[in-house]
Amino acid sequence: MAKPSSVKKKPAPRKPSAPPQAAAAFDKVLAEIEALSPDRLIPVNLDVPRVVSQVLGVSPGLVALRPAIAEHLPTFDVALVDRLETYALAAWYAHLLSLSSGDVESALKPLLAEAAPLREDLLGDAEALARRGLLDAETVADIRAGQGYIDTANDLVALSALFSASWSEIAAVG
């Protein structure tokens, strides 16, 4: 059963940009990163690509709420809302840099062999759920449009976030 059109659409996860845009975002905030004192740093225990995808998906909605945030949270630095997408892309790029240490090519081959068919299976499932009105068809089509190894990884992250965001509706049908 399709969702009624009056239901407010959830923000859809977005794939991170290509590495050059993420590198530019990283360069843009590098001075802020370097200015952090070591006692402010904590270990990362999140799935960075997934979190970045979710942040990029909600960022436009937060930017639209910027005036209300500034009004109701007068002590909050509202400029952080303006830089949220840049911070997310910089985090993704830093994550990519951390992965590039060591013999990545030999480690990636088995992952790529598993990732490509998994992407196709999940996209097929997502398209079926979109036809039933449980996922946004445009978001699924945007995910399918990509090509290449980096895009395959980004697609899997975006699909994971998309399924997670709508899981309660999907599970209710099954």
Side-chain angles (χ1 to χ4, degrees), residues 28-134:
K28 196 173 188 177
V29 299
L30 186 57
E32 290 178 63
I33 293 169
E34 290 173 338
L36 290 171
S37 64
D39 64 317
R40 300 273 325 257
L41 304 178
I42 59 172
V44 176
N45 62 356
L46 302 169
D47 179 344
V48 173
R50 183 174 177 186
V51 170
V52 169
S53 176
Q54 291 172 334
V55 167
L56 293 176
V58 301
S59 184
L62 285 175
V63 169
L65 292 172
R66 187 185 194 282
I69 293 169
E71 178 185 345
H72 295 289
L73 300 171
T75 60
F76 179 74
D77 181 4
V78 76
L80 293 172
V81 173
D82 301 330
R83 296 192 305 264
L84 184 59
E85 190 168 320
T86 300
Y87 289 142
L89 290 174
W92 181 63
Y93 187 73
H95 176 72
L96 292 176
L97 288 176
S98 75
L99 294 177
S100 68
S101 58
D103 187 13
V104 174
E105 190 173 320
S106 64
L108 285 181
K109 285 182 183 180
L111 292 174
L112 290 170
E114 182 181 355
L118 177 60
R119 176 186 179 269
E120 284 307 310
D121 288 346
L122 291 175
L123 276 168
D125 294 342
E127 288 165 342
L129 291 167
R131 284 191 297 274
R132 296 185 74 187
L134 296 168

Side-chain angles (χ1 to χ4, degrees), residues 2 7 21 23 69 74 86-87 96 107-108 135 137 145 147 153 163 166 171-172:
V7 174
Q21 288 83 13
I69 293 169
T86 300
Y87 289 142
L96 292 176
L108 285 181
L135 294 178
Q147 298 177 15
F163 284 126
S166 298

Side-chain angles (χ1 to χ4, degrees), residues 13-16 49-50 53 139 143 153-163:
R14 283 182 24 217
K15 294 188 295 184
R50 183 174 177 186
S53 176
T139 300
I143 293 171
N154 288 339
D155 290 351
L156 290 171
V157 170
L159 286 163
S160 172
L162 183 63
F163 284 126

